[in-house]
Amino acid sequence: CVRRRYTRGMANGMMNHTESIVQQMHAAITTALPGAEVHVGSNSPGHFELRVVSGAFAGLSRLKQQQLVYAAIAPLMKGEGAP
């Protein structure tokens, strides 16, 4: 389930790019953490909100949990196409 938030006045091209990144982030996290409950949203271009609930986090510190999620989306946050 991906929660979408649309902001009035945002250019269609930017919204399409942002929505594409949201979908890619969702796919990357669910691939890295099968069975996870994943919600990705965007409040503005280049700013994303993630909520991930996974059994893989059991017994891990918050830092280790964040590292698992960041490792999944790191390729999307690098290079020319980064948000």
Side-chain angles (χ1 to χ4, degrees), residues 1-74:
C1 177
V2 175
R3 198 170 71 195
R4 294 179 174 94
R5 173 183 269 170
Y6 294 96
T7 304
R8 290 175 56 184
M10 188 177 291
N12 281 342
M14 183 59 75
M15 179 54 69
N16 291 339
H17 177 71
T18 299
E19 188 62 28
S20 173
I21 295 294
V22 165
Q23 292 171 356
Q24 291 175 49
M25 291 173 81
H26 187 277
I29 295 167
T30 56
T31 298
L33 300 166
E37 179 183 327
V38 179
H39 296 279
V40 181
S42 175
N43 294 326
S44 62
H47 295 94
F48 300 92
E49 177 181 301
L50 307 172
R51 184 168 58 98
V52 181
V53 178
S54 174
F57 296 154
L60 298 179
S61 68
R62 284 195 181 238
L63 176 61
K64 292 293 184 187
Q65 293 173 25
Q66 289 176 354
Q67 288 173 338
L68 286 176
V69 174
Y70 290 152
I73 63 171

